[in-house]
Amino acid sequence: MNEIKAPKGTRDIFAPEIHKWHYLENAIHAYYKKFLYQEIRTPIFEHSELFSRGIGSETEVVQKEMYTFTDKSDRSLTLRPENTASVVRAAIENNLFENLVPLRFYYLGPMFRYDKPQKGRYRQFQQFGVEVFADDSPQVDAEVIFSAVDFLKKLEIESVQLDLNSVGCPQCRPAYLEVLKKAARAEESKLCADCRRKIDGNPLRIFDCKQPACAEAAGRFPVIGDHLCAECREHFVAVREALSWMNVPFVLNPRLVRGLDYYTKTAFEVTSGQLGAQNALLGGGRYNNLIKELGGPDMAGIGFAAGMERIILHLEHLELPGRKILFVAYGDPQWLAHAVQLAEVLREEGYPVYLDYQGKNLKKQFKKADRVAAAFTLLLAEDEIRSSSVSVKNMATQEQIKIPLKDLNAWLKENF
Ligand code: HAM
């Protein structure tokens, strides 16, 4: 029979890598609570319309990358390709704008994009992200960006670059797009077929093309920074000033565009030289029209999301504390009940305990204790049962001592 493999672009995560995931997940929960963010969990699938309206029907994500299916009642549903639209939908639907203060969320979980899999790029991948609503101050942009960079620093991921831009707003962007289209048309013959198609639909995306000829032409195109309205310009100046208060270094990148259409004003990305082609660790920005467009109040929003697989790839240095294990061994099957009870008492005390029910004899049990890398083996045999004690063998030094059961917990607290 044919072996069934995991679908392309998905991966199984297990030990030892899973320990890094636990570490990262715990770090996210601990870090974002310090900023008063509350965790939000939204469904893995949503009505497809949420994403076509939220992310933009002209984006690559919506046009090419969504896992969309119809359910048995003919509804069009989509596995979420990102979570910002879902968090906005959840806030509107649950009236959180009126009931929750402050409106700051963080999330983590799987996203789905029909992308070309390669190192750091998957079809099912995990993001963690944050969304802050109801605050249009430039300082909040800086705080969100600070938190992203500082979080990476706390994980000892420091060789990163923060790129910053302002992508304008519906007041100033349309006029800029016309100027950009004109410039792109003038260089049309030098652009790849894909970029030629983007000129009319989504010319900003030409800046994303990795083809050398397109990148070279795009280097001559006008940039949005020279076409911002006064409000966007002032906002951007204030964001940069607040970033300097917070000691966050950044690179102004006038050609930074984002793959999702909802952004207004501030846009940013953090990249790492360690990742090769898929070098974005995280990206985000302000989206002051999305909430209204999805049927909510006229309210500002800003956030970012990070690719957790890409962060995990940076945690090679992480030395996770070895999982300390106690192994309970029994000298003869007649002492198995005692061994089971001892294991139970020890687990109640919080120790990770392994007991081998298949252990035919002590030699095999000690071999197993070595294989699970137990720190101590606690042996119960006739002598120990009679004297209400246990023999404790240090698996590294092979030293063995006998300890009365009543003193075992105190001894372990000191020595384990
Ligand atoms: P995004 O730039 O599309 O933004 O994705 C954010 C991050 O998710 C990327 O920087 C990357 O690390 C990771 N990522 C994206 N696609 C993949 C993939 N196929 N495989 C592995 N990792 C991937 C958003 O998703 C926005 N919702 C961010 C945001 C939140 N903006 C405002 N609030």
Side-chain angles (χ1 to χ4, degrees), residues 24-39 102 104-108 128-132 142-155 268 282 303-306 311:
L24 177 58
E25 287 158 11
N26 290 337
I28 294 163
H29 290 294
Y31 187 84
Y32 278 96
K33 283 191 179 118
K34 289 198 294 191
F35 288 80
L36 259 71
Y37 288 68
Q38 311 206 41
E39 189 185 357
R104 297 174 153 216
F105 302 97
Y106 76 94
Y107 50 81
L108 48 168
F128 87 86
V130 312
E131 311 296 343
V132 176
E143 190 188 276
V144 166
I145 295 171
F146 166 83
S147 78
V149 175
D150 184 55
F151 180 73
L152 294 178
K153 207 191 262 176
K154 298 266 185 311
L155 296 179
F268 60 94
L282 60 88
F304 74 85
I311 293 182

Side-chain angles (χ1 to χ4, degrees), residues 157-207:
I157 304 175
E158 293 194 54
S159 55
V160 296
Q161 176 172 315
L162 165 66
D163 281 37
L164 188 68
N165 195 16
S166 171
V167 294
C169 70
Q171 269 71 53
C172 51
R173 199 164 32 207
Y176 165 68
L177 289 181
E178 286 313 310
V179 178
L180 178 61
K181 280 181 196 170
K182 210 166 139 199
R185 265 190 219 109
E187 308 238 19
E188 194 165 348
S189 59
K190 301 185 189 113
L191 301 178
C192 70
D194 214 23
C195 284
R196 283 203 295 272
R197 267 195 304 275
K198 291 174 187 165
I199 296 178
D200 284 319
N202 207 349
L204 281 173
R205 302 246 56 82
I206 300 174
F207 288 119

Side-chain angles (χ1 to χ4, degrees), residues 82 84 113 120 122 127 131 258 262-263 280-281 303-305 307:
E82 62 105 54
T84 308
R113 294 184 193 176
Y122 309 97
Q127 277 187 345
E131 311 296 343
R258 305 268 308 127
Y262 46 64
Y263 292 106
L281 276 175
F304 74 85

Side-chain angles (χ1 to χ4, degrees), residues 20 119 274 311-320:
K20 292 186 181 170
K119 186 184 173 197
Q274 234 175 288
I311 293 182
I312 294 284
L313 285 170
H314 283 74
L315 296 183
E316 270 138 20
H317 62 281
L318 191 71
E319 279 204 27
L320 295 159

Side-chain angles (χ1 to χ4, degrees), residues 61 65 81-85 107 111-116 118 120-131 258-260 262-263 268-270 275 278-287 301-311:
V61 171
E65 296 175 1
E82 62 105 54
N83 209 27
T84 308
Y107 50 81
M111 310 293 155
F112 305 83
R113 294 184 193 176
Y114 189 77
D115 226 332
K116 214 170 176 185
Q118 53 178 273
R121 187 157 81 187
Y122 309 97
R123 291 182 174 171
Q124 174 174 337
F125 58 99
Q126 307 268 333
Q127 277 187 345
F128 87 86
V130 312
E131 311 296 343
R258 305 268 308 127
L260 316 164
Y262 46 64
Y263 292 106
F268 60 94
E269 237 164 53
V270 173
L275 279 173
Q278 298 309 310
N279 63 356
L281 276 175
L282 60 88
R286 189 162 268 297
Y287 46 88
I302 177 164
F304 74 85
M308 291 172 71
E309 282 82 359
R310 296 181 188 183
I311 293 182

